Amino acid sequence: MKTFRSLFFFVVSFIILGAAQPVAAQNPPEISRNEVRVEYPFLIRFEMFATHQRQIESVTLVYGLNGRSCQQGSARQAVDTFASSSVFAIWEWDLSRSGALPPGVTVWWQWEMVDSLGNVFTTERQEMLVEDENHEWQSARSGDVTVHWYVGNNSFGQALLREATSSLNRLENELGLPAVEPVALWFYPTASDVRQVIFNVPEWTGGVAFPEYNVTVLGVAPGELEWASQIVPHELTHLVEGMLTFNCRGIRLPTWLSEGLARYAEGEADEAELALVELALQNGRLPTLRSLADGFSAFTDSASLAYTQSGQVVQYLIDTHGAAQMNTLLQTIQSGQTIDAALMSVYELDTNSLDAAWRTAVGYAATPTSEADAVALQSTPTQVATIALGGVPLLDTPTVPPSETPLPTETPPPSATPTATPTMANTAVPAEVAQLSTPSAAESELEADVVPEETMPMWVWWGGGTAVLLIALILFFRVRQRGGV
């Protein structure tokens, strides 16, 4: 009996120790570096140094942005590394290729590693605020409105803050469009400075709105408060539109409504611009409202006419039916209804009948001539330039695209409103070549000191344990046959 107990204890102990070994082998890698460096506005560099008791076979960076989305979207980027027990992974996100990010956006990231046994390890999620550290920014805040500027004194910043808060109040009181989320405005002193940090925008761009982040970037210098009184309400309107109409059904505002609201928010239209609209009506050359649903002309004169026309149609709706109905219209679109269905539900008009009603109200024929349609087709060869949204190919999560506001000119050029595209348009990131940088001397020394722990494969332990168990059982039965137990 004593012999049997000894054998039984030996077998159980061996199996327990063998089973415990693979568990100990699954300790996660040790991370001695995990950071992000921003070289605004050109790139974001992710770096990670890890050591492990076994070889790390592959490294993947998982990252994303904090933009408004329907689901938690992320991008995955495999990083080239040599299989080793210590790895230094680095990957650069080239914003000049994938699309600019406005300051104030939060980027998050995690590293995913797979070792030689197939174990997958994921680091904790980290976040970092993307800022333009090339300037010494000043900030002022009132409620949910924050303004940032770096040229000008405190009174200039306070004037910008007053303009922003009063613009939001007017949006809510006169258009029935409340800002339901905080907004941030970043002021550079010139339009040229805006174009240096927000890539691929037209030369006439003076401001760009990023509705998915509730952020707008504008070019306004001290002494240009009159210009601020136009561009600030215009861009804030786009941010508020984004808040109120965001949906996961791919439904967006038509360009004429989006830009018409923004133009209405600027205040009274210029007499010269109104005269051009009236002349086009008289000549039967004013394009149909429906032709302005998916972008305006790339030609300055035609686009300027479209902005004024759109603003006048929006003013007609508000003057005739009130601001509350406009809010209802946006809510209806947000619920997933197309523009025609939403217009019919709220105003008992579709796009064509609204166009006819407005033309009749201003004293002209309800239906534009065929010549107007021909002019619209000829003068709209391409849609106005757009900006890639954040550059991250997130997972099928639609957002409101950014809008560009023109500089003040005698004949204002167009504000570009790109088409809505899937989170933060699904703009594909160019296939980056993952870089394997040479570790620093300290890292090389650390890597040299790391001696990988040789771990016996799991099958050896379990196979050996099973063999010992079989031998013990054979011995046990032989002893019993001899009457030894």
Side-chain angles (χ1 to χ4, degrees):
M1 192 66 177
K2 183 177 180 181
T3 304
F4 170 72
R5 289 177 179 175
S6 300
L7 286 172
F8 182 79
F9 178 79
F10 174 78
V11 171
V12 172
S13 299
F14 188 91
I15 293 175
I16 291 175
L17 289 174
Q21 180 65 21
V23 174
Q26 294 185 21
N27 291 333
E30 181 179 344
I31 310 298
S32 57
R33 173 186 293 186
N34 185 8
E35 60 187 38
V36 164
R37 299 180 183 180
V38 179
E39 295 181 15
Y40 195 82
F42 303 107
L43 61 87
I44 299 176
R45 181 182 294 109
F46 301 85
E47 298 180 1
M48 185 272 296
F49 187 72
T51 58
H52 193 36
Q53 62 193 47
R54 286 181 298 279
Q55 284 197 155
I56 298 175
E57 298 289 341
S58 66
V59 177
T60 300
L61 174 68
V62 184
Y63 67 104
L65 299 167
N66 67 334
R68 187 184 296 114
S69 63
C70 298
Q71 62 185 33
Q72 182 58 65
S74 62
R76 297 176 61 86
Q77 175 64 48
V79 180
D80 289 339
T81 56
F82 297 111
S84 173
S85 59
S86 59
V87 294
F88 179 56
I90 178 172
W91 183 72
E92 292 184 348
W93 179 2
D94 187 351
L95 299 176
S96 65
R97 295 175 59 189
S98 64
L101 293 178
V105 171
T106 297
V107 60
W108 64 266
W109 74 97
Q110 295 175 288
W111 294 94
E112 184 180 283
M113 290 164 278
V114 180
D115 69 12
S116 56
L117 293 182
N119 297 314
V120 179
F121 305 96
T122 304
T123 62
E124 292 185 4
R125 174 168 166 156
Q126 305 288 320
E127 293 187 351
M128 182 178 183
L129 188 67
V130 176
E131 297 180 293
D132 183 355
E133 296 183 348
N134 299 306
H135 310 288
E136 294 185 6
W137 292 91
Q138 304 177 66
S139 300
R141 179 178 177 179
S142 176
D144 287 337
V145 182
T146 305
V147 298
H148 308 269
W149 75 100
Y150 65 88
V151 173
N153 56 24
N154 184 64
S155 26
F156 172 62
Q158 292 297 326
L160 295 175
L161 183 60
R162 286 193 297 273
E163 180 61 49
T165 53
S166 64
S167 296
L168 289 176
N169 289 335
R170 182 166 185 260
L171 280 174
E172 182 171 4
N173 298 330
E174 297 187 24
L175 278 78
L177 309 181
V180 294
E181 298 173 13
V183 298
L185 301 87
W186 295 79
F187 289 93
Y188 287 78
T190 68
S192 176
D193 292 311
V194 171
R195 294 192 296 272
Q196 287 178 15
V197 297
I198 307 299
F199 309 118
N200 304 321
V201 296
E203 292 185 359
W204 42 259
T205 300
V208 185
F210 292 83
E212 72 274 28
Y213 308 119
N214 294 340
V215 169
T216 179
V217 181
L218 313 95
V220 179
E224 295 183 342
L225 293 180
E226 184 176 349
W227 164 229
S229 68
Q230 300 175 47
I231 189 172
V232 169
H234 188 110
E235 295 302 331
L236 286 177
T237 302
H238 288 308
L239 298 187
V240 173
E241 292 170 356
M243 298 175 197
L244 299 180
T245 62
F246 173 74
N247 63 83
C248 299
R249 301 172 178 84
I251 304 298
R252 65 177 183 86
L253 294 184
T255 306
W256 66 263
L257 180 55
S258 174
E259 295 298 344
L261 286 168
R263 181 55 64 91
Y264 179 88
E266 295 179 21
E268 294 294 329
D270 184 81
E271 291 296 330
E273 295 175 341
L274 293 176
L276 290 175
V277 171
E278 186 167 3
L279 181 62
L281 283 168
Q282 290 174 353
N283 297 333
R285 295 174 62 86
L286 191 70
T288 61
L289 197 59
R290 190 172 294 281
S291 71
L292 305 179
D294 296 314
F296 291 168
S297 170
F299 297 108
T300 299
D301 291 345
S302 297
S304 177
L305 186 68
Y307 277 91
T308 306
Q309 176 184 353
S310 299
Q312 291 302 294
V313 172
V314 167
Q315 181 168 339
Y316 167 76
L317 283 174
I318 293 174
D319 290 347
T320 306
H321 302 279
Q325 292 294 84
M326 181 58 67
N327 183 289
T328 303
L329 176 65
L330 297 194
Q331 289 181 5
T332 306
I333 294 173
Q334 189 276 334
S335 71
Q337 294 196 34
T338 62
I339 182 58
D340 279 334
L343 284 171
M344 187 62 68
S345 173
V346 178
Y347 298 108
E348 297 184 353
L349 300 166
D350 63 7
T351 301
N352 292 338
S353 54
L354 170 60
D355 194 4
W358 169 70
R359 290 170 187 265
T360 302
V362 294
Y364 291 92
T367 305
T369 64
S370 57
E371 182 182 3
D373 292 330
V375 169
L377 291 174
Q378 293 172 5
S379 63
T380 313
T382 59
Q383 198 166 348
V384 182
T386 64
I387 303 174
L389 299 183
V392 182
L394 302 183
L395 306 176
D396 299 327
T397 48
T399 66
V400 182
S403 171
E404 301 152 16
T405 298
L407 289 166
T409 57
E410 261 184 26
T411 306
S415 314
T417 301
T419 57
T421 48
T423 292
M424 278 169 257
N426 280 353
T427 304
V429 175
E432 300 288 351
V433 178
Q435 301 180 10
L436 177 64
S437 298
T438 303
S440 64
E443 289 159 351
S444 298
E445 183 178 350
L446 176 60
E447 184 172 346
D449 291 340
V450 176
V451 178
E453 178 183 341
E454 295 297 334
T455 304
M456 190 175 292
M458 186 181 297
W459 67 268
V460 174
W461 286 98
W462 284 103
T466 303
V468 171
L469 178 60
L470 289 174
I471 292 171
L473 290 173
I474 292 171
L475 290 174
F476 168 71
F477 284 115
R478 284 185 177 180
V479 170
R480 288 199 62 175
Q481 288 176 356
R482 295 175 182 176
V485 293

